mmCIF file of all heavy atoms in Angstrom:
data_model
loop_
_atom_site.group_PDB
_atom_site.id
_atom_site.type_symbol
_atom_site.label_atom_id
_atom_site.label_comp_id
_atom_site.label_asym_id
_atom_site.label_seq_id
_atom_site.Cartn_x
_atom_site.Cartn_y
_atom_site.Cartn_z
ATOM 1 N N ASP A 122 3.863 27.799 18.489
ATOM 2 C CA ASP A 122 3.741 29.276 18.625
ATOM 3 C C ASP A 122 2.279 29.669 18.278
ATOM 4 O O ASP A 122 1.820 29.385 17.064
ATOM 5 C CB ASP A 122 4.601 29.907 17.644
ATOM 6 C CG ASP A 122 4.592 31.454 17.678
ATOM 7 O OD1 ASP A 122 3.740 31.891 18.445
ATOM 8 O OD2 ASP A 122 5.360 32.137 17.004
ATOM 9 N N ALA A 183 -10.226 14.754 22.393
ATOM 10 C CA ALA A 183 -10.981 14.554 23.590
ATOM 11 C C ALA A 183 -10.392 13.652 24.556
ATOM 12 O O ALA A 183 -9.534 12.783 24.164
ATOM 13 C CB ALA A 183 -12.404 14.010 23.148
ATOM 14 N N SER A 215 -24.014 5.336 9.493
ATOM 15 C CA SER A 215 -25.225 6.051 8.676
ATOM 16 C C SER A 215 -25.600 7.446 9.189
ATOM 17 O O SER A 215 -25.979 8.308 8.454
ATOM 18 C CB SER A 215 -26.330 4.946 8.716
ATOM 19 O OG SER A 215 -27.517 5.757 8.973
ATOM 20 N N THR A 232 -18.321 30.888 0.728
ATOM 21 C CA THR A 232 -17.090 31.503 0.154
ATOM 22 C C THR A 232 -15.947 30.518 0.585
ATOM 23 O O THR A 232 -16.132 29.726 1.462
ATOM 24 C CB THR A 232 -16.867 32.912 0.718
ATOM 25 O OG1 THR A 232 -16.700 32.775 2.187
ATOM 26 C CG2 THR A 232 -17.866 33.855 0.449
ATOM 27 N N TYR A 242 -15.648 20.757 10.458
ATOM 28 C CA TYR A 242 -16.807 19.798 10.796
ATOM 29 C C TYR A 242 -16.502 18.511 9.919
ATOM 30 O O TYR A 242 -16.760 17.423 10.493
ATOM 31 C CB TYR A 242 -18.126 20.542 10.204
ATOM 32 C CG TYR A 242 -19.300 19.757 10.528
ATOM 33 C CD1 TYR A 242 -19.974 19.968 11.734
ATOM 34 C CD2 TYR A 242 -19.903 18.834 9.728
ATOM 35 C CE1 TYR A 242 -21.248 19.238 12.065
ATOM 36 C CE2 TYR A 242 -21.089 18.037 9.928
ATOM 37 C CZ TYR A 242 -21.645 18.287 11.148
ATOM 38 O OH TYR A 242 -22.954 17.618 11.467
ATOM 39 N N GLU A 248 -12.797 11.804 11.274
ATOM 40 C CA GLU A 248 -12.058 11.170 12.375
ATOM 41 C C GLU A 248 -12.942 10.210 13.100
ATOM 42 O O GLU A 248 -12.423 9.144 13.529
ATOM 43 C CB GLU A 248 -11.499 12.202 13.404
ATOM 44 C CG GLU A 248 -10.284 12.820 12.870
ATOM 45 C CD GLU A 248 -9.723 13.899 13.738
ATOM 46 O OE1 GLU A 248 -9.915 13.938 14.853
ATOM 47 O OE2 GLU A 248 -9.113 14.820 13.140
ATOM 48 N N ARG A 252 -12.256 6.063 13.378
ATOM 49 C CA ARG A 252 -12.406 5.365 14.636
ATOM 50 C C ARG A 252 -13.449 4.178 14.528
ATOM 51 O O ARG A 252 -13.095 3.152 15.028
ATOM 52 C CB ARG A 252 -12.903 6.331 15.779
ATOM 53 C CG ARG A 252 -12.461 5.914 17.119
ATOM 54 C CD ARG A 252 -13.311 6.557 18.113
ATOM 55 N NE ARG A 252 -14.680 6.326 17.883
ATOM 56 C CZ ARG A 252 -15.591 7.245 18.158
ATOM 57 N NH1 ARG A 252 -15.371 8.402 18.535
ATOM 58 N NH2 ARG A 252 -16.913 6.847 17.950
ATOM 59 N N LEU A 384 7.772 30.541 32.334
ATOM 60 C CA LEU A 384 7.779 29.383 31.403
ATOM 61 C C LEU A 384 9.213 28.977 31.161
ATOM 62 O O LEU A 384 9.465 28.200 30.143
ATOM 63 C CB LEU A 384 7.254 29.997 29.998
ATOM 64 C CG LEU A 384 5.840 30.399 30.127
ATOM 65 C CD1 LEU A 384 5.399 31.525 29.100
ATOM 66 C CD2 LEU A 384 4.833 29.172 29.940
ATOM 67 N N LYS A 385 10.155 29.300 31.967
ATOM 68 C CA LYS A 385 11.498 28.964 31.811
ATOM 69 C C LYS A 385 11.758 27.741 32.658
ATOM 70 O O LYS A 385 10.992 27.519 33.689
ATOM 71 C CB LYS A 385 12.452 30.047 32.424
ATOM 72 C CG LYS A 385 12.519 31.280 31.588
ATOM 73 C CD LYS A 385 13.750 31.219 30.778
ATOM 74 C CE LYS A 385 13.620 32.227 29.603
ATOM 75 N NZ LYS A 385 14.850 31.964 28.785
ATOM 76 N N GLU B 82 8.935 37.278 14.834
ATOM 77 C CA GLU B 82 9.385 36.284 15.752
ATOM 78 C C GLU B 82 10.812 36.670 16.296
ATOM 79 O O GLU B 82 11.201 36.437 17.441
ATOM 80 C CB GLU B 82 9.483 34.913 15.021
ATOM 81 C CG GLU B 82 8.154 34.268 14.974
ATOM 82 C CD GLU B 82 7.469 33.958 16.254
ATOM 83 O OE1 GLU B 82 8.200 33.346 17.090
ATOM 84 O OE2 GLU B 82 6.345 34.337 16.498
ATOM 85 N N GLU B 93 14.796 39.277 30.044
ATOM 86 C CA GLU B 93 15.212 38.325 30.918
ATOM 87 C C GLU B 93 16.681 38.578 31.422
ATOM 88 O O GLU B 93 17.152 37.987 32.245
ATOM 89 C CB GLU B 93 15.118 36.925 30.383
ATOM 90 C CG GLU B 93 13.719 36.455 30.236
ATOM 91 C CD GLU B 93 13.608 35.398 29.038
ATOM 92 O OE1 GLU B 93 14.526 34.726 28.725
ATOM 93 O OE2 GLU B 93 12.403 35.181 28.515
ATOM 94 N N SER B 181 -12.384 16.792 17.230
ATOM 95 C CA SER B 181 -12.715 15.498 16.611
ATOM 96 C C SER B 181 -13.911 14.833 17.126
ATOM 97 O O SER B 181 -14.678 14.165 16.380
ATOM 98 C CB SER B 181 -11.600 14.652 16.791
ATOM 99 O OG SER B 181 -11.392 14.428 18.238
ATOM 100 N N ASP B 182 -14.304 14.935 18.430
ATOM 101 C CA ASP B 182 -15.480 14.231 18.783
ATOM 102 C C ASP B 182 -16.773 15.072 19.108
ATOM 103 O O ASP B 182 -17.627 14.743 19.768
ATOM 104 C CB ASP B 182 -15.165 13.434 20.017
ATOM 105 C CG ASP B 182 -14.840 14.446 21.261
ATOM 106 O OD1 ASP B 182 -14.361 15.470 21.011
ATOM 107 O OD2 ASP B 182 -15.007 14.095 22.472
ATOM 108 N N ARG B 477 -33.074 7.284 6.513
ATOM 109 C CA ARG B 477 -32.612 6.769 7.587
ATOM 110 C C ARG B 477 -33.833 6.318 8.602
ATOM 111 O O ARG B 477 -33.707 5.319 9.356
ATOM 112 C CB ARG B 477 -31.633 7.726 8.396
ATOM 113 C CG ARG B 477 -30.954 7.193 9.716
ATOM 114 C CD ARG B 477 -29.964 8.115 10.191
ATOM 115 N NE ARG B 477 -29.850 8.006 11.643
ATOM 116 C CZ ARG B 477 -29.060 7.074 12.196
ATOM 117 N NH1 ARG B 477 -28.281 6.186 11.408
ATOM 118 N NH2 ARG B 477 -28.934 6.764 13.541
ATOM 119 N N SER B 501 -27.496 18.343 15.181
ATOM 120 C CA SER B 501 -26.008 18.188 15.034
ATOM 121 C C SER B 501 -25.527 18.564 13.537
ATOM 122 O O SER B 501 -24.313 18.334 13.373
ATOM 123 C CB SER B 501 -25.764 16.838 15.405
ATOM 124 O OG SER B 501 -26.459 16.231 16.358
ATOM 125 N N GLU B 515 -16.115 37.196 -1.039
ATOM 126 C CA GLU B 515 -15.952 37.649 0.365
ATOM 127 C C GLU B 515 -16.046 39.098 0.525
ATOM 128 O O GLU B 515 -15.508 39.903 -0.055
ATOM 129 C CB GLU B 515 -14.389 37.299 0.716
ATOM 130 C CG GLU B 515 -14.158 37.150 2.157
ATOM 131 C CD GLU B 515 -14.954 36.092 2.761
ATOM 132 O OE1 GLU B 515 -14.897 35.072 2.354
ATOM 133 O OE2 GLU B 515 -15.675 36.358 3.839
ATOM 134 N N ASN B 713 8.735 35.721 31.564
ATOM 135 C CA ASN B 713 9.675 35.052 32.502
ATOM 136 C C ASN B 713 10.463 35.983 33.342
ATOM 137 O O ASN B 713 11.371 35.690 33.889
ATOM 138 C CB ASN B 713 10.658 34.335 31.533
ATOM 139 C CG ASN B 713 9.916 33.196 30.933
ATOM 140 O OD1 ASN B 713 9.257 32.459 31.426
ATOM 141 N ND2 ASN B 713 10.308 33.106 29.468
#
Side-chain angles (χ1 to χ4, degrees):
Chain A
D122 176 357
S215 133
T232 61
Y242 186 89
E248 281 174 30
R252 202 200 58 217
L384 298 152
K385 288 260 163 188
Chain B
E82 284 297 308
E93 289 154 22
S181 62
D182 64 332
R477 182 173 157 84
S501 321
E515 202 61 50
N713 297 314

